[in-house]
Each structure stands twice: as structure tokens, then as C-alpha cells.
Amino acid sequence: MNAPISPIEQLHLELPDLDWITDPSRIARLSQDFAWFSPVLHRQLKDKVADAVVRPRTEDEIRVLVSACARRKLPITIRGSGTGNYGQTTPLAGGVVLDMTGYNSVCWVQPGVARAQAGIRLAELEKHTRESGQELRCLPSTYRSATLGGLFGGGFGGVGSINYGPLAAPGNVLGIRAMTIEPEPQVVELRGAEALRMHHVWGTNGLVLEIEVGLAPAHPWLETLVVFDDFDRALAFGDALAHSPGIIKREVAFFGSPVPDYLGQLEQYLPRGCHAVLSLVAQACEEPLLQLVAAHGGTVTYRKTAEEVKKSNRTLMEFTWNHTTLHALKIDKSLTYLQTSFTPGEHVRQIREMASRFAGEVLMHAEFLRGMDGRLTTSALQLVRFTTEERLDEIIALHRESGLRINNPHVFIVEDGKAGGPLPPEVIEMKKRFDPLGLLNPGKLRDWPAPAGAAP
Ligand SMILES: Cc1cc2nc3c(=O)[nH]c(=O)nc-3n(C[C@H](O)[C@H](O)[C@H](O)COP(=O)(O)OP(=O)(O)OC[C@H]3O[C@@H](n4cnc5c(N)ncnc54)[C@H](O)[C@@H]3O)c2cc1C
């Protein structure tokens, strides 16, 4: 007698024309993301693997796949390019990884707004928006490979957030088209705040097909590194530049010593032991930038025009946000990181206090940005010299006791991460509406399935 075929094999037989990835080593690779930045997550997630990966190319292919999985109650984990940091695309209960990168067209670009399919890479989308002198408002430093759907499902913001705040700030995402996970999938358009209920829930409460995003005017950006021999002066310069409304900018990052020593590819521009400020400023604003540098006693060691950046294909954007951590990990694998939100107006004092309190153990890298309320502040992605998981927990607790918000990057359950507790009822409502069978990466939401007896 033949052995019964598994639900995954049945799926394959039912949908042979889909783009299936069956090679076990590729399935294993496509089941992981950059969770290895955390020694804790690496230990917990490294062996989790999907049963199959499918890369649909059209909405119809997505629909038949979702329907066939829902009929068999097979888990689905949605994946963009897998650059997320918290095991966001790692299936906790096996099943199918639904790779969205084949679903990647631009729908349209208009003044101030564009719409595209979720699997498009952000760099590709910007190629299209630049034709009309526009660019994305906030971009993760992984923009070359990261997808629009992945930024929406798992990202926060990044380069450009100094002007427009996080992706979640009203106006940055105008609407989405999303599919329900059920035997007869429904496709629904959600606008504004309703659309944002699917944002940063790590692909657990709906499958996003298209996203409409606000655009910004594009400028030729001048990329610079300014170095200092004094921590406070470097930080004051970064803060003054971030606060200067007349200097058009896209990015300002502060690296306290010894963080610049870990940016090996920029070694020749970063004297050992220096403190540095990295910025992207409109080329037309170079003169006031240099006046500010002089007023703070800094030295410009790196200066590239937009044309030079394009020719060399090297941009300082890929040294910001969590790319700083990536470069540092190339030099010292024992490092890990934190994600800390500072208080607007208090941020300079808080950074100084934390840098001196944890000197030698928590190394300061801070990004200037606007918060949800538009006020200028900083978010830090400090490098941490990792010793034990207990000490890491202690460092996080000490930051929280000092009134700082830590978005813990060492957890893989949605409620334990940036959400910082139980999900709001409207987000749970979305889960019930778009994933009534609880098939989207089961285990990622602590409170799902809802405990027996919970309100329907
Ligand atoms: C070196 C480095 C630097 C980074 N810098 C930044 C940064 O500056 N800013 C920032 O915000 N993040 C940053 N990140 C995190 C990550 O790169 C970004 O959030 C990126 O936008 C994720 O895109 P992705 O396509 O790789 O998504 P993935 O990692 O594939 O997915 C992310 C999450 O979104 C969900 N998802 C993907 N597509 C969909 C969809 N169509 N529908 C529903 N859910 C979906 C997935 O299930 C997953 O939970 C960085 C990560 C690394 C490793």
C-alpha cells in the first residue's frame, strides 16, 4: 500500500504551475531572516523551517494558493526579502512560506503619491518615482533588497524619517489592498487608519497585495561624514543640524566612539577614536552645512555629491540605522544591539547619560528623526558588547527604569516587541476578519488563538 501523501504534497499536486522552491537548503534559507543579529533569537529560531516555499506572480496565483492552504488548514508565513530582524519571516509551525517578491509591479505614480504591488523592492519603486522628481518618504537602510510589503509588515521607517516621521505617521501610508486567508479569499481596500492596523504586525493579521504611499520631493543629496574629538560637540552638531529647518536633509546619524571604529569600509575617513556625524543634505545647502560644522569645531572627512554616489554605487545610507550594526558584526561577531526611543527635548541629555553610564558596554549610535507627533528626537540602535542573556535583560531593564522605551529586538512574539503588550482591540479585530482560521504564522501572536471563553 502507498503511504498517504502529506498536505504539502497534495498542495503541490493541486497547483503544479506555481513557482515552487523545493530544494531543502533554499527552503531553510528562505525560512530565516536577520534574527541572527540577536544571540537570543538565533538560539531560539535557527532550526525553524517551512515545508515549502512558493513564489506567486499574480493576484490569481496568490488567491489559489491561499485558498488551497486554507482548505487544508496549512500555516502560511508571508515573506518579502527576509531582511527583518526578529524572525519575522520564520515559520514557527512549518507550512508554506509565501514569497511575495514575484508580485512586484508599480501600479501608478502621481504627484505626491504612488501605488505598487507589495513584493516590489523599494529601490525599484524609487527608480520609477524619480522619473517625476519624487522619492520615498522613509526608507530602511536595506532599501536595495527590502520590499514595500516587508517595510509595511515589519519595518518602522529609516532614512527620511527625520522629515516625515515613522511610516505609521498619518499620510505616509494612504491605503492598502489586502486579502483574507480563507477558502474563498476576499480582497478588500482599506484606507488611512484602518490600513495601519495591519502595519508592523509581522504578517500575522492579513496579506497585503498593494500599498499606496506618500512621496517626497527628491533632491540631489550631498553625503558627508563630519568627525570630532569630543562626544558632546559631535552630538550637539548632529542635534543642531537635525533642528535646522532651512537645511534640507534626508538623514542625520550620530556615532559615539568607538562605533566609527567598527565601520571598516569607511576606515580612511574615520580617524581611530573619533566621534562622527553622518548626513545627507540637499546639495544646495552645503554652505550653511559647512558654517554649522565650523561653528561646532568639526572636520569634514568625506564628501560625495549625488553624481559621485550614483557612479560609485556606494551610499552612506547603507551605513545608517541597522546597517551600522551589520558593519560592526562583520568586525566583531560577539556584538549585538538595542533599540531605544528617547524623549523629544530630553534626547541629548538622555544620550549623554546612557553613553556614560554604560561606557565600554553599550556603544552609542543614534538616529535623528521626527516622532508621531512631529517633534524632533532620536532613536538609538546602540551596539552592545554581549556577555550573557541575563546581562542583556538587565541592561534593557535599567534603560526602562530610566524612563526610556526599549523596543526589544531580542523577542519573536509580536506582543513582546515594539507593540509592548497586548494588541489593541482594533488590531485583533483585523486578525479575526482577515485570518479567521489563524493560519498566518501560528505562534507569532501570543494571544491567538483567543483563549476559550474569550469574547468573540
Ligand atoms: C542591516 C539591516 C538594516 C535595517 N534597517 C532598517 C531601517 O532602517 N528601518 C526599518 O524600518 N527596518 C530596517 N531593517 C529591517 C528590515 O530590513 C526592514 O523593515 C525591511 O523593510 C523589511 O523588508 P523585507 O522585504 O525584507 O521584509 P521581510 O523581512 O520579508 O518581512 C517583514 C515582515 O513583514 C511581513 N510581510 C512581508 N510582506 C508582507 C505582505 N505583503 N503582507 C503582509 N505582511 C508582509 C512578513 O511576514 C514579516 O513579518 C533593517 C534590517 C537589517 C538586517
PDB file of all heavy atoms in Angstrom, residues 397-421:
ATOM      1  N   ALA A 397      16.347  46.354  31.264  1.00  0.00           N
ATOM      2  CA  ALA A 397      15.564  46.774  32.442  1.00  0.00           C
ATOM      3  C   ALA A 397      16.074  48.119  32.979  1.00  0.00           C
ATOM      4  O   ALA A 397      15.281  49.001  33.331  1.00  0.00           O
ATOM      5  CB  ALA A 397      15.636  45.702  33.525  1.00  0.00           C
ATOM      6  N   LEU A 398      17.394  48.295  33.010  1.00  0.00           N
ATOM      7  CA  LEU A 398      17.957  49.549  33.531  1.00  0.00           C
ATOM      8  C   LEU A 398      17.581  50.736  32.642  1.00  0.00           C
ATOM      9  O   LEU A 398      17.312  51.834  33.130  1.00  0.00           O
ATOM     10  CB  LEU A 398      19.484  49.434  33.652  1.00  0.00           C
ATOM     11  CG  LEU A 398      19.975  48.478  34.758  1.00  0.00           C
ATOM     12  CD1 LEU A 398      21.475  48.209  34.625  1.00  0.00           C
ATOM     13  CD2 LEU A 398      19.656  49.047  36.140  1.00  0.00           C
ATOM     14  N   HIS A 399      17.540  50.513  31.331  1.00  0.00           N
ATOM     15  CA  HIS A 399      17.098  51.586  30.433  1.00  0.00           C
ATOM     16  C   HIS A 399      15.634  51.934  30.709  1.00  0.00           C
ATOM     17  O   HIS A 399      15.255  53.100  30.779  1.00  0.00           O
ATOM     18  CB  HIS A 399      17.264  51.167  28.961  1.00  0.00           C
ATOM     19  CG  HIS A 399      18.653  51.381  28.439  1.00  0.00           C
ATOM     20  ND1 HIS A 399      19.714  50.580  28.788  1.00  0.00           N
ATOM     21  CD2 HIS A 399      19.166  52.321  27.588  1.00  0.00           C
ATOM     22  CE1 HIS A 399      20.810  51.013  28.190  1.00  0.00           C
ATOM     23  NE2 HIS A 399      20.504  52.060  27.452  1.00  0.00           N
ATOM     24  N   ARG A 400      14.827  50.891  30.876  1.00  0.00           N
ATOM     25  CA  ARG A 400      13.387  51.142  31.119  1.00  0.00           C
ATOM     26  C   ARG A 400      13.182  51.863  32.451  1.00  0.00           C
ATOM     27  O   ARG A 400      12.350  52.768  32.544  1.00  0.00           O
ATOM     28  CB  ARG A 400      12.623  49.818  31.082  1.00  0.00           C
ATOM     29  CG  ARG A 400      12.499  49.298  29.644  1.00  0.00           C
ATOM     30  CD  ARG A 400      11.707  48.008  29.549  1.00  0.00           C
ATOM     31  NE  ARG A 400      11.453  47.678  28.153  1.00  0.00           N
ATOM     32  CZ  ARG A 400      11.347  46.444  27.680  1.00  0.00           C
ATOM     33  NH1 ARG A 400      11.446  45.411  28.487  1.00  0.00           N
ATOM     34  NH2 ARG A 400      11.109  46.242  26.392  1.00  0.00           N
ATOM     35  N   GLU A 401      13.967  51.456  33.443  1.00  0.00           N
ATOM     36  CA  GLU A 401      13.851  52.144  34.748  1.00  0.00           C
ATOM     37  C   GLU A 401      14.200  53.617  34.635  1.00  0.00           C
ATOM     38  O   GLU A 401      13.742  54.438  35.415  1.00  0.00           O
ATOM     39  CB  GLU A 401      14.781  51.480  35.784  1.00  0.00           C
ATOM     40  CG  GLU A 401      14.185  50.231  36.403  1.00  0.00           C
ATOM     41  CD  GLU A 401      15.249  49.420  37.152  1.00  0.00           C
ATOM     42  OE1 GLU A 401      16.264  50.000  37.595  1.00  0.00           O
ATOM     43  OE2 GLU A 401      15.049  48.190  37.271  1.00  0.00           O
ATOM     44  N   SER A 402      15.048  53.958  33.665  1.00  0.00           N
ATOM     45  CA  SER A 402      15.430  55.368  33.476  1.00  0.00           C
ATOM     46  C   SER A 402      14.404  56.106  32.630  1.00  0.00           C
ATOM     47  O   SER A 402      14.653  57.230  32.184  1.00  0.00           O
ATOM     48  CB  SER A 402      16.785  55.467  32.775  1.00  0.00           C
ATOM     49  OG  SER A 402      17.746  54.806  33.520  1.00  0.00           O
ATOM     50  N   GLY A 403      13.278  55.465  32.345  1.00  0.00           N
ATOM     51  CA  GLY A 403      12.201  56.139  31.615  1.00  0.00           C
ATOM     52  C   GLY A 403      12.330  56.058  30.105  1.00  0.00           C
ATOM     53  O   GLY A 403      11.616  56.750  29.384  1.00  0.00           O
ATOM     54  N   LEU A 404      13.247  55.214  29.617  1.00  0.00           N
ATOM     55  CA  LEU A 404      13.409  55.106  28.164  1.00  0.00           C
ATOM     56  C   LEU A 404      12.604  53.926  27.644  1.00  0.00           C
ATOM     57  O   LEU A 404      12.418  52.932  28.339  1.00  0.00           O
ATOM     58  CB  LEU A 404      14.892  54.912  27.818  1.00  0.00           C
ATOM     59  CG  LEU A 404      15.779  56.068  28.252  1.00  0.00           C
ATOM     60  CD1 LEU A 404      17.249  55.727  28.025  1.00  0.00           C
ATOM     61  CD2 LEU A 404      15.417  57.339  27.488  1.00  0.00           C
ATOM     62  N   ARG A 405      12.166  54.074  26.401  1.00  0.00           N
ATOM     63  CA  ARG A 405      11.417  52.980  25.795  1.00  0.00           C
ATOM     64  C   ARG A 405      12.388  52.100  25.013  1.00  0.00           C
ATOM     65  O   ARG A 405      13.141  52.589  24.175  1.00  0.00           O
ATOM     66  CB  ARG A 405      10.366  53.564  24.848  1.00  0.00           C
ATOM     67  CG  ARG A 405       9.494  52.495  24.236  1.00  0.00           C
ATOM     68  CD  ARG A 405       8.589  53.054  23.153  1.00  0.00           C
ATOM     69  NE  ARG A 405       8.074  51.922  22.405  1.00  0.00           N
ATOM     70  CZ  ARG A 405       6.814  51.521  22.422  1.00  0.00           C
ATOM     71  NH1 ARG A 405       5.934  52.194  23.125  1.00  0.00           N
ATOM     72  NH2 ARG A 405       6.438  50.474  21.724  1.00  0.00           N
ATOM     73  N   ILE A 406      12.368  50.811  25.314  1.00  0.00           N
ATOM     74  CA  ILE A 406      13.186  49.866  24.536  1.00  0.00           C
ATOM     75  C   ILE A 406      12.227  49.037  23.696  1.00  0.00           C
ATOM     76  O   ILE A 406      11.300  48.422  24.226  1.00  0.00           O
ATOM     77  CB  ILE A 406      13.974  48.916  25.474  1.00  0.00           C
ATOM     78  CG1 ILE A 406      14.978  49.689  26.315  1.00  0.00           C
ATOM     79  CG2 ILE A 406      14.639  47.802  24.678  1.00  0.00           C
ATOM     80  CD1 ILE A 406      16.349  49.843  25.735  1.00  0.00           C
ATOM     81  N   ASN A 407      12.436  49.054  22.379  1.00  0.00           N
ATOM     82  CA  ASN A 407      11.699  48.145  21.502  1.00  0.00           C
ATOM     83  C   ASN A 407      12.580  46.904  21.372  1.00  0.00           C
ATOM     84  O   ASN A 407      13.480  46.856  20.536  1.00  0.00           O
ATOM     85  CB  ASN A 407      11.450  48.792  20.143  1.00  0.00           C
ATOM     86  CG  ASN A 407      10.599  50.043  20.295  1.00  0.00           C
ATOM     87  OD1 ASN A 407       9.635  50.061  21.051  1.00  0.00           O
ATOM     88  ND2 ASN A 407      10.987  51.103  19.614  1.00  0.00           N
ATOM     89  N   ASN A 408      12.314  45.938  22.231  1.00  0.00           N
ATOM     90  CA  ASN A 408      13.247  44.819  22.410  1.00  0.00           C
ATOM     91  C   ASN A 408      13.450  44.015  21.122  1.00  0.00           C
ATOM     92  O   ASN A 408      12.517  43.373  20.636  1.00  0.00           O
ATOM     93  CB  ASN A 408      12.695  43.915  23.530  1.00  0.00           C
ATOM     94  CG  ASN A 408      13.705  42.880  23.958  1.00  0.00           C
ATOM     95  OD1 ASN A 408      14.750  42.720  23.326  1.00  0.00           O
ATOM     96  ND2 ASN A 408      13.398  42.180  25.040  1.00  0.00           N
ATOM     97  N   PRO A 409      14.663  44.037  20.568  1.00  0.00           N
ATOM     98  CA  PRO A 409      14.897  43.284  19.337  1.00  0.00           C
ATOM     99  C   PRO A 409      15.318  41.847  19.594  1.00  0.00           C
ATOM    100  O   PRO A 409      15.821  41.185  18.685  1.00  0.00           O
ATOM    101  CB  PRO A 409      16.027  44.076  18.669  1.00  0.00           C
ATOM    102  CG  PRO A 409      16.825  44.622  19.805  1.00  0.00           C
ATOM    103  CD  PRO A 409      15.864  44.807  20.971  1.00  0.00           C
ATOM    104  N   HIS A 410      15.137  41.363  20.817  1.00  0.00           N
ATOM    105  CA  HIS A 410      15.561  40.003  21.156  1.00  0.00           C
ATOM    106  C   HIS A 410      14.365  39.105  21.464  1.00  0.00           C
ATOM    107  O   HIS A 410      14.484  38.130  22.205  1.00  0.00           O
ATOM    108  CB  HIS A 410      16.553  40.049  22.338  1.00  0.00           C
ATOM    109  CG  HIS A 410      17.730  40.938  22.054  1.00  0.00           C
ATOM    110  ND1 HIS A 410      18.768  40.553  21.236  1.00  0.00           N
ATOM    111  CD2 HIS A 410      17.996  42.217  22.421  1.00  0.00           C
ATOM    112  CE1 HIS A 410      19.640  41.563  21.139  1.00  0.00           C
ATOM    113  NE2 HIS A 410      19.198  42.578  21.846  1.00  0.00           N
ATOM    114  N   VAL A 411      13.205  39.479  20.921  1.00  0.00           N
ATOM    115  CA  VAL A 411      11.987  38.668  21.126  1.00  0.00           C
ATOM    116  C   VAL A 411      11.336  38.415  19.774  1.00  0.00           C
ATOM    117  O   VAL A 411      11.480  39.213  18.852  1.00  0.00           O
ATOM    118  CB  VAL A 411      10.983  39.394  22.059  1.00  0.00           C
ATOM    119  CG1 VAL A 411      11.535  39.495  23.476  1.00  0.00           C
ATOM    120  CG2 VAL A 411      10.635  40.773  21.527  1.00  0.00           C
ATOM    121  N   PHE A 412      10.606  37.301  19.660  1.00  0.00           N
ATOM    122  CA  PHE A 412       9.986  36.999  18.367  1.00  0.00           C
ATOM    123  C   PHE A 412       8.462  36.952  18.436  1.00  0.00           C
ATOM    124  O   PHE A 412       7.798  36.647  17.456  1.00  0.00           O
ATOM    125  CB  PHE A 412      10.539  35.689  17.779  1.00  0.00           C
ATOM    126  CG  PHE A 412      10.234  34.449  18.585  1.00  0.00           C
ATOM    127  CD1 PHE A 412       9.033  33.771  18.414  1.00  0.00           C
ATOM    128  CD2 PHE A 412      11.150  33.972  19.510  1.00  0.00           C
ATOM    129  CE1 PHE A 412       8.754  32.628  19.151  1.00  0.00           C
ATOM    130  CE2 PHE A 412      10.870  32.827  20.261  1.00  0.00           C
ATOM    131  CZ  PHE A 412       9.664  32.157  20.077  1.00  0.00           C
ATOM    132  N   ILE A 413       7.885  37.253  19.598  1.00  0.00           N
ATOM    133  CA  ILE A 413       6.432  37.304  19.739  1.00  0.00           C
ATOM    134  C   ILE A 413       6.006  38.762  19.546  1.00  0.00           C
ATOM    135  O   ILE A 413       6.599  39.664  20.159  1.00  0.00           O
ATOM    136  CB  ILE A 413       6.001  36.832  21.156  1.00  0.00           C
ATOM    137  CG1 ILE A 413       6.459  35.389  21.410  1.00  0.00           C
ATOM    138  CG2 ILE A 413       4.502  37.001  21.371  1.00  0.00           C
ATOM    139  CD1 ILE A 413       5.678  34.322  20.708  1.00  0.00           C
ATOM    140  N   VAL A 414       4.998  38.989  18.698  1.00  0.00           N
ATOM    141  CA  VAL A 414       4.621  40.368  18.352  1.00  0.00           C
ATOM    142  C   VAL A 414       4.378  41.221  19.596  1.00  0.00           C
ATOM    143  O   VAL A 414       4.890  42.337  19.711  1.00  0.00           O
ATOM    144  CB  VAL A 414       3.359  40.370  17.445  1.00  0.00           C
ATOM    145  CG1 VAL A 414       2.890  41.788  17.171  1.00  0.00           C
ATOM    146  CG2 VAL A 414       3.639  39.640  16.135  1.00  0.00           C
ATOM    147  N   GLU A 415       3.627  40.681  20.555  1.00  0.00           N
ATOM    148  CA  GLU A 415       3.250  41.485  21.724  1.00  0.00           C
ATOM    149  C   GLU A 415       4.470  41.873  22.579  1.00  0.00           C
ATOM    150  O   GLU A 415       4.428  42.840  23.327  1.00  0.00           O
ATOM    151  CB  GLU A 415       2.254  40.717  22.625  1.00  0.00           C
ATOM    152  CG  GLU A 415       0.877  40.534  22.006  1.00  0.00           C
ATOM    153  CD  GLU A 415       0.746  39.223  21.233  1.00  0.00           C
ATOM    154  OE1 GLU A 415       1.771  38.730  20.723  1.00  0.00           O
ATOM    155  OE2 GLU A 415      -0.376  38.703  21.129  1.00  0.00           O
ATOM    156  N   ASP A 416       5.555  41.105  22.490  1.00  0.00           N
ATOM    157  CA  ASP A 416       6.746  41.387  23.310  1.00  0.00           C
ATOM    158  C   ASP A 416       7.672  42.401  22.652  1.00  0.00           C
ATOM    159  O   ASP A 416       8.582  42.922  23.280  1.00  0.00           O
ATOM    160  CB  ASP A 416       7.551  40.100  23.556  1.00  0.00           C
ATOM    161  CG  ASP A 416       6.771  39.103  24.385  1.00  0.00           C
ATOM    162  OD1 ASP A 416       5.785  39.516  25.025  1.00  0.00           O
ATOM    163  OD2 ASP A 416       7.143  37.918  24.383  1.00  0.00           O
ATOM    164  N   GLY A 417       7.474  42.651  21.350  1.00  0.00           N
ATOM    165  CA  GLY A 417       8.346  43.567  20.623  1.00  0.00           C
ATOM    166  C   GLY A 417       7.863  44.997  20.742  1.00  0.00           C
ATOM    167  O   GLY A 417       7.455  45.447  21.815  1.00  0.00           O
ATOM    168  N   LYS A 418       7.877  45.701  19.605  1.00  0.00           N
ATOM    169  CA  LYS A 418       7.534  47.122  19.631  1.00  0.00           C
ATOM    170  C   LYS A 418       6.123  47.364  20.167  1.00  0.00           C
ATOM    171  O   LYS A 418       5.837  48.400  20.762  1.00  0.00           O
ATOM    172  CB  LYS A 418       7.674  47.705  18.218  1.00  0.00           C
ATOM    173  CG  LYS A 418       7.805  49.205  18.194  1.00  0.00           C
ATOM    174  CD  LYS A 418       7.942  49.709  16.776  1.00  0.00           C
ATOM    175  CE  LYS A 418       6.822  50.654  16.447  1.00  0.00           C
ATOM    176  NZ  LYS A 418       6.587  50.789  15.029  1.00  0.00           N
ATOM    177  N   ALA A 419       5.231  46.380  19.953  1.00  0.00           N
ATOM    178  CA  ALA A 419       3.853  46.536  20.427  1.00  0.00           C
ATOM    179  C   ALA A 419       3.840  46.757  21.939  1.00  0.00           C
ATOM    180  O   ALA A 419       2.985  47.483  22.464  1.00  0.00           O
ATOM    181  CB  ALA A 419       3.032  45.310  20.054  1.00  0.00           C
ATOM    182  N   GLY A 420       4.810  46.126  22.645  1.00  0.00           N
ATOM    183  CA  GLY A 420       4.995  46.390  24.080  1.00  0.00           C
ATOM    184  C   GLY A 420       3.813  45.974  24.946  1.00  0.00           C
ATOM    185  O   GLY A 420       3.571  46.577  25.984  1.00  0.00           O
ATOM    186  N   GLY A 421       3.057  44.967  24.552  1.00  0.00           N
ATOM    187  CA  GLY A 421       1.943  44.495  25.375  1.00  0.00           C
ATOM    188  C   GLY A 421       0.806  43.998  24.501  1.00  0.00           C
ATOM    189  O   GLY A 421       0.980  43.836  23.297  1.00  0.00           O
TER     190      GLY A 421
END
